[in-house]
Amino acid sequence: MNTAVIPTEQAPQKVKSYGRLDQQIILILDFGSQYSELIARRIRETQVYSEVISYRTTAEQLRELDPKGIILSGGPSSVYDNYAPHCDPEIWNLGIPILGVCYGMQLMVNQLGGEVLKADRGEYGKSSLYIDDATDLLTNVEDGTTMWMSHGDSVTKMPSGFELLAHTENTPCAAIADHTKKLYGVQFHPEVVHSLGGQALIRNFVYKICGCEATWTTAAFVEEAIREIRAKVGEKRVLLALSGGVDSSTLAFLMYKAIGDRLTCVFIDQGFMRKLEPERLLKLFKEQFHIPVEYVNARDRFLNALNGVTDPEEKRRRIGHEFIREFEETSRRLGHFDYLAQGTLYPDVIESAGTNVDPQTGERVAVKIKSHHNVGGLPKDLRFKLVEPLRKLFKDEVRKVGRAIGLPEEIVQRHPFPGPGLAIRILGEVTAERLNILRDADLIVRQEINQRGLYHDYWQTFAVLLPIKSVGVMGDQRTYAYPIVLRIVQSEDGMTADWARVPYDVLEAISNRIVNEVKGVNRVVYDITSKPPGTIEWE
Ligand code: XMP
């Protein structure tokens, strides 16, 4: 059996906390569950701030961070694996309420002298939870409610001082507690949507057991963020690269509210945006929001940089490179800036220690693949200090903030659009002619979807141009022209996606209009590939 001693060199040097220390916080020790982030989101939905930190954080470090409660996440390991992640055993004596979820519960039981064994039958999927004690954690959780399970090991003997709160058909100890020490364990995952009583349980933990108050609100965030920006930036000037997406627009609004015209927004037009988008963006910011934007027309520069390039990665690389050079030149031209405002979000900064160690071999394994490879990423050698006021927020929280400070719905609810834009939706070489064709076809897709009120039904809707030609016939004339691919997908987060079952009449209208109105296109095809194995974009 593995002893739960943590060599000191394993403890993180400095505990990364992106939260505000004057704010009540629930900390999640991450043991590598794919749901650790989700727990943080669920807690934030109760209007209490929460962050994910490394499971190696020591009891001493936790005491300094002073959370109102601690949650131990699930994880892929068994407590008996050779390299199973263990937490500092001193955390049980901190006097801070702790909730162990799945692996987190098994670890708690194991370290406190109970027994965890491989169950005869694991339990995966939905289970009915039967409540034995509804005093605190399970108050208002309905007897027989559905909870979602995913475990091979089970608790067979509770540590002394613990009592049974609930069981399921296959799991005698599905929820347990030491009420006096405020230590709780649940074998199921209250954070996933399939756990019907899950949010009630989380609220009980946060409010009843940890004694938190609802302080994590959008209004409170905005007020505090503005105060922080002002304190940090002082009288200095800040540069911001605007793309028109929800993150950079929210950032611009927030920064402008905080420091007014000491903010300079730069919009670099690479020439790869959708038809009418650059004009629209400038109009919105200048005329409606009254936030000045420095427009840089760099279309020729980017098109030249892609001359003869057909490889998708090379396209991305060159666009990224040109963006940096252009940004540098513009910032020099506009004078001296001390700060650069960046729209970094919380998922970009979570340092998830549990996810990258194989529990059997102890070897480091690949960490989660980033969903984005943003060309907006700026080089390290730019001599700016960073101001990143959105770094505590999840994407849905950014939307709430954007809405709260007056960003219109059309930006708040905008579909994702890749940094390299249409350049990665033209397969093969990007030329001015192809860009014009794709822009026109893409506009028709959006118009047809929008006018039917279908925009919010889909994750993304767009056109792709293939660099091949096929034969068609139009008004007795033979045509030889490009095909357009329609890509319309549904997705929760862009990591997986399915092709949308768009009504035939909508597909028909889009196809007819594109072939009739866009010169150079004589065929429209619909992409019916899910992700995986396909990706959403074609390059
Ligand atoms: P894929 O094509 O990988 O796309 O299934 C997943 C999501 O990411 C977007 N995407 C990008 N976003 N820069 C971005 O900012 C990029 O280079 C990039 N490539 C893909 C894509 O639109 C989808 O929402």
Side-chain angles (χ1 to χ4, degrees), residues 401-460:
V401 168
R403 203 172 273 135
I405 56 179
L407 217 55
E409 281 305 301
E410 69 162 284
I411 293 186
V412 171
Q413 298 281 7
R414 176 167 292 191
H415 287 168
F417 186 70
L422 301 184
I424 57 160
R425 291 180 179 170
I426 292 172
L427 274 68
E429 192 181 357
V430 179
T431 64
E433 182 222 9
R434 289 176 178 178
L435 275 168
N436 284 333
I437 292 176
L438 182 59
R439 270 197 210 101
D440 287 342
D442 183 74
L443 182 66
I444 291 173
V445 179
R446 283 186 293 147
Q447 285 173 341
E448 291 299 317
I449 294 291
N450 288 350
Q451 79 189 28
R452 289 175 171 78
L454 294 174
Y455 186 82
H456 299 299
D457 291 1
Y458 307 121
W459 172 261
Q460 275 170 299

Side-chain angles (χ1 to χ4, degrees), residues 98 173 305 375 395 437 508:
I98 300 180
C173 298
V375 293
K395 187 87 180 183
I437 292 176
E508 183 183 32

